Amino acid sequence: MISARGLRKSFGDFEAVKGIDVEVLRGEAFGFLGPNGAGKSSTMRMIASVSPVTSGELRILGMDPATDGPAIRGRLGVCPQEDTLDNELNVFDNLYIYGRYFGIDRATCRERARELLEFAQITDKAKAKVEDLSGGMKRRLTIARSLINNPDVLLLDEPTTGLDPQARHVLWDQLFRLKQAGVTLVITTHYMDEAEQLCDRLVVMDKGLIAAEGSPRELIDAHSTREVAELRFGVGEHEALAAKVEDLGDRVEVLPDRLLVYSDRGEEVVTAVLERGLQPIATLVRRSTLEDVFLRLTGRSLAD
Amino acid sequence: MAATDARPAPRPAARLSAREGVARQYDYWLTVYKRTWRGGVANSFATPLFYVLAMGVLLGGFIDADPDRLEGATSYLAFIVPGLVAAHAMTIAVSESTYPVMGAIKWHKTFFAQLATPLAVRDLVNAFLLFVVFRVASACAVFMLVLAPFGVFESWWGPVLAWVVQVLVGTAFATLAFGYSARLRSEEGFGLLFRLGVLPLTLFSGAFFPISNLGPVLEWVARLTPLWHGVSLSRMLCLDTVDWPLAALNAGVLVALCAIGWRWAVTGLDKRLEV
Ligand SMILES: Nc1ncnc2c1ncn2[C@@H]1O[C@H](COP(=O)(O)OP(=O)(O)OP(=O)(O)O)[C@@H](O)[C@H]1O
Ligand SMILES: [Mg+2]
């Protein structure tokens, strides 16, 4: 569905995307996981065929965005990172008018708009002004709007940023149903739980490059241990104590507020730490997540 | 979910035809029109009528209506009406193509939303400008109709052609203002445009007095301004004093400005929306 080879994007002297290879297959949910400024949105805009490719090769649905932009865009649904809803139109018209841009006839547009209001659970707001919607409702409307043309590929740039946990889960559920219906999903996020929940496959992106690629499980297996022991000590002690626990795991990461000891047996690490007379304020043993993969690959935490 | 198959039929062409590109935005501009026509009426029709009353009738009362000194007009009102409508066409065109363009780029991001669909920059510019031209055309038509009973026109066909010229003036200025606005980063530039562009053009392009009064040098400067060509042509048509070679030049300049302005608008928006 989407294939990129050596894809680059520059803004003047600054290179936001530094040559990435990506292959998205029909019907899968593909993710770009990365921190702020990684180049996720820049990549998404090139895929959306609104931002010209600086160099490299990009094919979407077998077409070249440089020459077939309109035809490609006709089969994509785009939910940009920042809402671009029309504040001066009401909720229904935002969907209806948008559908008209795709050349969908009026009657079908109306019907489709009503279905999507239902889908986004904002039917009662149909006549409301966009300005009067909550942030989460706007987000749902944006996603609904991106579906007006029954897209083959749905591009979602940070779909759940700004949503409360409940709204996020509702949205994940809806995206999952879209995937079941055969829509290919491309999602960017800096939430690892979102990436784990939604994506069949993902790339970890950092500073314009791809650091790793695979399914969430594969990435965790390849780049982290099964478990992690988190040890919290007093402020400022972590750096010094790292050396004392280093031998207990495969690897130790020092964060400002805790130590992470990577080991397949987390409980044993904690026991050993206590046996050595160290007294952490708190301990926690958990499974490795994509966050750990990210930390390993980039030396930085996703949240920074 | 997929109860309705709303997918447009596969289309081999790489881009939409200009006509299709505009047609798809018809419903959008219709809602804009429904929302804004009231304000437009006040602005488009009332303001010029006040002008005519104050300048044409009241001020005109102090002015000797000597056809030799008023480019063939038998009253000051008859002299200023064609120029006034042309200047009005310019003002509407410029105001509709400045803040609204910046709004669609910066504040409402309408263009970005539209560009994520099969529409291209060229289609956005075309539909936008057509809407402005429609605004100009309807405002000027009403203006001319209201003035017809006052005996300011010398033929029936002249004012009709003059109306076409006014629409042309509006189109030329709309495209130019669009190109300017698309390149502008901050709205401060609009103040400059109105104070150093629209206002002097309105005052010194022959709408209110013959440009021969400006003296030989400034008269030539006035002849170089785009609005003068519209005023001159519009007036010759209304007063039935057409000098055809001059008329051809006036019309040629206006048409050329439309073409140049359109390019300037499309390239400006293209660069601006490219991210
Ligand atoms: N239009 C632009 N002009 C100049 N620089 C830009 C532009 N768009 C993005 N950048 C820069 O490119 C880099 C990547 O930005 P991008 O928006 O792609 O990151 P991102 O991964 O989406 O980050 P975030 O998680 O914050 O959305 C950033 O350093 C950003 O400042
Ligand atoms: Mg982004």
Side-chain angles (χ1 to χ4, degrees), chain A residues 9-63:
Chain A
K9 180 74 197 183
S10 302
F11 299 104
D13 291 340
F14 178 76
E15 208 172 23
V17 180
K18 299 174 179 157
I20 60 171
D21 297 343
V22 176
E23 200 75 44
V24 180
L25 309 175
R26 180 179 296 276
E28 76 175 336
F30 187 90
F32 288 91
L33 178 68
N36 294 144
K40 306 183 296 293
S41 297
S42 305
T43 306
M44 286 293 251
R45 283 198 300 266
M46 287 192 279
I47 297 174
S49 307
V50 291
S51 168
V53 168
T54 304
S55 74
E57 204 197 343
L58 182 61
R59 286 282 173 282
I60 297 138
L61 300 159
M63 293 179 276

